[in-house]
Amino acid sequence: MPPPSVGQRARIDIRAVAMSPSQRWTEPRLVVDAARLWSGGAATAVVAALVAVVGVLIGEGALGLDMAVPPLLPVGGSFAVSYAITAAVLALAATGLAHLLVLTAPRPSSFFAWIVGLATVVGVVLPLTIGDSIGGSVATAVVDLVIGLCILSLVSSVLSRTTRVAMP
């Protein structure tokens, strides 16, 4: 509402005056549809795993690079399987983080984006410090970047569709 002009009375919102200061400045509470959030997280895990597999197929198969091996979960019999399972687990961990932030943080999407964004930066820089060949290290860094962006964008969009402001 614009400020009153000269000679005009100011309107006072009676509801705002009747509220205590803590009621006026509290953030609205968010409610999450957990089933839809986690089904979206599971779908994100599948996409992230497929990104890892495609990245290994392109990097090692098509380009013939010896990709740097980042810290992966010790499962599966091959680099591609370990990479895919690790990407899927990271997507599920990001979903859990998003769920926790919705329940506890004042601006869950902002904190989620920063946390996943910085974790993605770590995933991009790490292969550049441990790889033997620059080509293989860059290929792994690119795959890590695409996985991180995939998780960030998909879980963020799922989060926006599965949360709503609680009615008082």
Side-chain angles (χ1 to χ4, degrees):
M1 176 184 330
S5 58
V6 176
Q8 203 178 27
R9 288 187 180 178
R11 293 183 187 190
I12 298 175
D13 186 355
I14 299 299
R15 292 172 296 168
V17 172
M19 296 167 133
S20 71
S22 64
Q23 289 173 320
R24 276 184 249 149
W25 299 107
T26 57
E27 297 252 349
R29 193 173 63 84
L30 294 177
V31 176
V32 64
D33 182 348
R36 288 180 65 214
L37 174 66
W38 282 97
S39 64
T44 301
V46 171
V47 173
L50 290 172
V51 167
V53 170
V54 168
V56 172
L57 287 174
I58 291 171
E60 288 191 342
L63 299 177
L65 299 171
D66 186 24
M67 292 178 67
V69 180
L72 301 173
L73 295 174
V75 292
S78 71
F79 173 59
V81 171
S82 295
Y83 212 167
I85 291 173
T86 301
V89 168
L90 289 173
L92 294 174
T95 304
L97 172 67
H99 196 168
L100 178 68
L101 289 172
V102 165
L103 299 175
T104 60
R107 299 270 186 214
S109 350
S110 297
F111 286 108
F112 179 77
W114 272 99
I115 292 168
V116 174
L118 290 171
T120 300
V121 169
V122 170
V124 168
V125 172
L126 191 60
L128 301 173
T129 65
I130 61 173
D132 291 334
S133 73
I134 190 68
S137 296
V138 169
T140 305
V142 169
V143 173
D144 287 352
L145 176 64
V146 175
I147 291 169
L149 292 175
C150 162
I151 292 171
L152 177 61
S153 64
L154 291 176
V155 175
S156 292
S157 65
V158 166
L159 187 62
S160 70
R161 300 287 296 172
T162 58
T163 56
R164 63 178 172 78
V165 176
M167 297 310 238

